[in-house]
């Protein structure tokens, strides 16, 4: 059973400019992510890759990629990966994030989100940790995040 976001990704990215279009659709659904102008590179259960270009609008006062832009990139990649991975009858929300700034973030950034363990169907909610590694174009890890997703069963709306 495939998640709607994963099905959409697989369908749209076959088209010319499909990765661009998918990225725009995600930003339409969650507008704040448009501030970093992300481009989805890969999406499959258990893995999501997103890039951002080196642009002035994501820089801080010293000319490196701003810490919050990196956090935004991490949350976006982790959230879409979670949506594409968890069972269809479960939902998620970020519960907490721990970050490490490992080096100056200069240039384009490439994030990869992966879960720490397999997602499971559960009658109750549980914390599901996701790791995000952000690298520069040279492949150097400049930022690392661990995002705790709260995964819980979808509730059915009462019939009216």
């Amino acid at each position: 059973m495939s998640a709607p976001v994963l099905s959409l990704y697989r369908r749209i990215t076959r088209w010319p400019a499909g990765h661009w279009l998918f990225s725009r659709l995600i930003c339409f659904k969650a507008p704040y992510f448009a501030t970093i102008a992300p481009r989805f590179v890969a999406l499959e259960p258990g893995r999501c890759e997103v890039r951002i270009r080196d642009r002035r609008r994501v820089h801080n006062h010293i000319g490196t990629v701003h810490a919050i832009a990196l956090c935004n990139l991490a949350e976006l990649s982790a959230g879409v990966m979670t949506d594409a991975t968890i069972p269809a009858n479960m939902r998620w929300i970020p519960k907490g994030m721990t970050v490490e700034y490992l080096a100056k973030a200069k240039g384009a950034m490439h994030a990869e989100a992966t879960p720490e363990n397999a997602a499971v169907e559960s009658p109750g909610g549980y914390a599901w940790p996701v790791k995000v590694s952000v690298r520069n174009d040279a492949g150097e890890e400049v930022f690392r995040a661990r995002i705790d997703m709260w995964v819980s069963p979808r509730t059915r709306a009462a019939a009216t």
Side-chain angles (χ1 to χ4, degrees):
M1 189 178 298
S2 183
V5 72
L6 184 57
S7 296
L8 179 65
Y9 177 82
R10 288 175 174 164
R11 206 168 48 247
I12 287 181
T13 56
R14 292 184 209 149
W15 305 343
H19 284 88
W20 174 85
L21 181 58
F22 179 80
S23 300
R24 297 299 302 151
L25 289 170
I26 293 295
C27 290
F28 181 76
K29 178 79 172 166
Y32 184 70
F33 291 120
T35 63
I36 61 170
R39 179 68 53 95
F40 284 81
V41 176
L43 178 61
E44 60 192 50
R47 184 165 104 17
C48 180
E49 293 183 44
V50 183
R51 289 184 57 84
I52 60 171
R53 295 186 325 202
D54 185 19
R55 330 168 61 136
R56 186 176 186 282
R57 71 191 226 180
V58 297
H59 285 184
N60 57 25
H61 65 288
I62 60 172
T64 61
V65 178
H66 194 282
I68 298 305
L70 294 169
C71 290
N72 205 355
L73 177 60
E75 185 180 344
L76 173 63
S77 58
V80 174
M81 185 280 300
T82 299
D83 207 64
T85 304
I86 63 173
N89 65 335
M90 304 296 280
R91 63 184 178 178
W92 62 273
I93 190 165
K95 188 175 181 180
M97 179 165 49
T98 304
V99 300
E100 295 177 76
Y101 303 99
L102 306 171
K104 286 184 179 177
K106 290 188 169 219
M109 297 290 119
H110 184 100
E112 182 175 15
T114 56
E116 287 189 10
N117 45 51
V120 295
E121 197 168 324
S122 172
Y126 62 94
W128 192 59
V130 175
K131 298 179 297 183
V132 182
S133 174
V134 178
R135 298 180 180 279
N136 61 20
D137 279 337
E140 176 187 16
E141 188 175 35
V142 298
F143 175 89
R144 185 180 308 140
R146 183 179 189 269
I147 302 174
D148 286 323
M149 298 296 188
W150 182 253
V151 178
S152 60
R154 292 186 186 274
T155 57
R156 296 185 188 247
T160 56

